[in-house]
Amino acid sequence: MSIDITGLPAERIVFEASPLAELATALHALAEPGHHPGMQGWVTATTAALKPDLADRLIQADFLWRNTFSDIFMPVAALPECDGHPGATLTEDLDLLDRLSDEQFVAAALEFSCSSRYAAGLPSPLVDRARHDVVLDLAASRGPQQLGFTQRLLADPPTVRAWVRRLLEDCDEAFFADTWRRVHVHLAADARHKTEILRHKGLEEALTAVSAALSLTEAAGGGTRIEADKLSHGTTTAVAPGVSPGVTFVPSHHTWPHLMVLYAPAWRPTVLYPVAGPEAARPAPVEVLKLRLEALAHPVRLRLCRNIARAPYTTSELAHANDLSAPEVSRHLAVLKKAGLITTRRRGRYVLHQLDVTVVARLGSDFLEGILR
C-alpha cells in the first residue's frame, strides 16, 4: 500500500483521534472477537448488556464494519475544508458524515461491491444502472440482511442515512460514551506524542513509532512515498487536485492487529493505526512471512526441522538420518536459513544447525497479523 507524499510539507501531516472511527473499530471487535483476543472481557460484557433491539439493528448493518472498515467512518477524508481534522466529539463526526453527498455516502457504504477495484473511481450505483445491478447482485450473495439494506439504501438514501446515524447514536448511549471516556485521553496523548516526533525527528521516525509495518521510501524515478506492508495493494497521493493535501493518522484503541489505509479516489489518505497493542513484538514483514511458509511447505524440510528442533545437527548427520545426500541437505538448509528459521554455529571444524524455536513459535501469530493487517 503506497501513499505518494512528494513535495508535501510536514505540517500537512495530521495525527488526531476520531470518535467515529473508534466507534467503528469497537463495533468490529464486537462482530469479530476472534480478531481481538485481548478484548474478550470487554466484548463479552458489552455484548451481554446490549438490548435485543439494538443488537438486531447492529446485525442489519454489520457489513459496514465486519469485513471492511467502511469509509463512512472517516467522512473528514472526503471534506477538503476540514484539512484532515476529525470532530472532537461523536456528534461532530456524525455532522461531518451528514455533509457527504448521497453519492459519496452510498459509494462508501457499499465498498464491498468494488473490492479489488476500490481505487478505480467506479461510477455511483445511484446514477449508473450497470453498477446498480452489480451492487444488488453482490449484496444478494452476502445474504438477505445485506440485500435488504442495500435495496433500501439505493431506493431512499436520506432515510437510510438517518437510520444509520440513529443507530450509531444509540450505540453511543448504550456503551460507547463510557468506552470513549476511558480511551480518548490516551489516544489524544498518543497523537500529541507522534506529532512531537514528527516535528523534532522527522517523518521517518514518526512512521516507525506508529507501526513497524510503515516505512518511508524514495521512488526510483524520484519522489517520496509512505509504504504500508500489507497483503492488499493500492496506491494514492496526498496531493491530488481537489483534495485537501496531506495525510491523516488516526490512533485507535480497538484496532490491533489491523492497520487500515483509506485510499479512495478524491479522499484524503488516512491511516488508522493501533495504540498500545502487542505490535511492539514487531511482526514479520509480509515477504518474510511468505518465505517462511514456502520454506516449510516442502516435506523434506519439515523432516529436517523435526531433527534440528530437538538438538543441533551437522549437515552430514542430517544426511545420514534422512537417507539424503549432503548436497541435497545443504540446499534445503539454505532455504530454511534464508527464511530465518534456523541458526548455525561452529564447533571446531563442524557447523551445527538448529531450528530457531522462538521464530517458529511466532509464525502462527505473524501469519494472523499479516493477513489481518
Side-chain angles (χ1 to χ4, degrees):
M1 198 74 68
S2 177
I3 303 172
D4 187 350
I5 60 167
T6 304
L8 185 73
E11 59 267 22
R12 302 301 303 179
I13 295 175
V14 173
F15 288 89
E16 201 159 325
S18 163
L20 182 57
E22 192 63 24
L23 173 54
T25 61
L27 290 171
H28 171 74
L30 292 176
E32 290 288 356
H35 292 186
H36 309 274
M39 296 182 183
Q40 291 293 343
W42 177 83
V43 167
T44 300
T46 302
T47 302
L50 289 178
K51 294 181 179 179
D53 172 67
L54 179 56
D56 289 343
R57 285 187 288 150
L58 287 175
I59 291 173
Q60 292 181 48
D62 74 351
F63 69 90
L64 294 173
W65 52 77
R66 178 186 289 273
N67 300 323
T68 60
F69 179 83
S70 173
D71 291 346
I72 70 168
F73 296 111
M74 284 302 303
V76 62
L79 301 170
E81 63 272 22
C82 294
D83 275 338
H85 295 280
T89 66
L90 182 62
T91 297
E92 289 181 13
D93 262 350
L94 291 174
D95 289 343
L96 295 179
L97 181 59
D98 287 344
R99 286 162 58 182
L100 297 185
S101 69
D102 283 347
E103 289 188 12
Q104 287 174 311
F105 184 95
V106 170
L110 300 181
E111 181 184 321
F112 71 90
S113 68
C114 52
S115 57
S116 63
R117 300 185 66 192
Y118 169 82
L122 297 172
S124 168
L126 290 179
V127 298
D128 186 272
R129 189 66 198 182
R131 285 304 307 161
H132 179 279
D133 294 342
V134 168
V135 164
L136 286 178
D137 185 54
L138 290 171
S141 70
R142 297 288 183 94
Q145 290 271 26
Q146 187 153 335
L147 176 60
F149 184 97
T150 303
Q151 289 172 328
R152 294 191 297 275
L153 179 59
L154 292 174
D156 188 2
T159 297
V160 175
R161 293 180 65 169
W163 183 91
V164 169
R165 174 162 184 150
R166 182 60 186 168
L167 172 65
L168 298 176
E169 289 172 338
D170 287 349
C171 288
D172 187 48
E173 182 179 345
F175 66 88
F176 183 68
D178 289 338
T179 299
W180 181 246
R181 277 193 292 271
R182 177 170 52 86
V183 305
H184 89 277
V185 173
H186 182 44
L187 297 181
D190 183 86
R192 288 194 300 271
H193 176 60
K194 299 297 193 297
T195 301
E196 288 301 305
I197 294 176
L198 175 65
R199 288 174 179 168
H200 298 292
K201 298 184 178 180
L203 180 57
E204 189 168 9
E205 288 288 336
L207 293 177
T208 300
V210 168
S211 171
L214 293 177
S215 61
L216 194 65
T217 64
E218 298 297 326
T224 307
R225 297 177 180 274
I226 296 172
E227 301 283 350
D229 184 39
K230 291 169 63 71
L231 280 173
S232 53
H233 296 276
T235 60
T236 189
T237 176
V239 289
V243 179
S244 170
V247 183
T248 298
F249 289 85
V250 179
S252 171
H253 174 79
H254 297 86
T255 302
W256 187 88
H258 310 299
L259 176 74
M260 288 170 276
V261 181
L262 187 161
Y263 61 103
W267 289 53
R268 179 187 175 105
T270 303
V271 179
L272 187 72
Y273 66 92
V275 171
E279 196 184 21
R282 194 174 181 87
V286 170
E287 283 303 314
V288 172
L289 178 61
K290 180 182 175 184
L291 270 180
R292 289 174 179 170
L293 293 176
E294 289 175 345
L296 294 174
H298 197 288
V300 172
R301 290 195 282 272
L302 278 181
R303 280 162 44 203
L304 296 178
C305 286
R306 181 176 181 273
N307 295 123
I308 60 179
R310 300 178 179 188
Y313 276 71
T314 67
T315 301
S316 297
E317 288 174 326
L318 288 170
H320 179 75
N322 292 278
D323 196 23
L324 299 168
S325 68
E328 187 176 2
V329 169
S330 293
R331 286 194 296 272
H332 286 299
L333 289 175
V335 173
L336 292 170
K337 187 174 180 63
K338 183 179 180 181
L341 294 169
I342 64 173
T343 60
T344 60
R345 72 177 191 272
R346 182 172 290 278
R347 181 183 294 165
R349 63 190 183 90
Y350 297 104
V351 175
L352 299 172
H353 310 279
Q354 190 160 23
L355 192 69
D356 191 328
V357 177
T358 302
V359 170
V360 176
R362 268 198 56 85
L363 193 56
S365 58
D366 282 343
F367 173 74
L368 284 175
E369 290 173 35
I371 62 174
L372 292 175
R373 189 159 63 226

